[in-house]
Amino acid sequence: MAEIKTEWITLNVADGTTMRAYVARPQDTATHPGLLVFQEASGHGHIRDVTERLTREGYVAVAPELFHRTAAGFEARTTISRRPCLM
């Protein structure tokens, strides 16, 4: 399994606010294609897992915290089963 690096970054938004984004990238120094990963209403916990799985497939993946204005850091408790990622 490929080693990955993850981090939270802060992005400036046009309306003067900021929003966090979760970034996952392979640890090697090669160039990789990038993907934006959008969260669903259940929050960011599951999307971090999806982002990391995509990164293990060779992508740099960025998941912005889309609900930052109304529920920054929102984490829902979900019972989403782990299904294979269809690509």
Side-chain angles (χ1 to χ4, degrees):
M1 186 173 291
E3 293 294 319
I4 66 171
K5 176 185 176 188
T6 62
E7 64 181 322
W8 284 98
I9 62 170
T10 300
L11 303 171
N12 294 319
V13 181
D15 68 358
T17 63
T18 60
M19 95 171 124
R20 296 185 322 154
Y22 187 71
V23 180
R25 63 177 57 94
Q27 280 196 337
D28 63 31
T29 58
T31 301
H32 297 277
L35 295 172
L36 288 174
V37 183
F38 296 107
Q39 72 187 77
E40 72 283 327
S42 65
H44 223 268
H46 171 67
I47 294 305
R48 284 195 308 272
D49 177 63
V50 171
T51 301
E52 291 173 12
R53 285 188 280 147
L54 291 168
T55 298
R56 288 187 181 92
E57 296 296 325
Y59 296 93
V60 173
V62 179
E65 191 176 67
L66 298 178
F67 302 121
H68 70 281
R69 288 182 189 91
T70 56
F74 176 70
E75 297 282 339
R77 293 178 188 220
T78 62
T79 56
I80 296 172
S81 64
R82 286 191 63 108
R83 295 186 180 127
C85 185
L86 302 175
M87 289 196 238

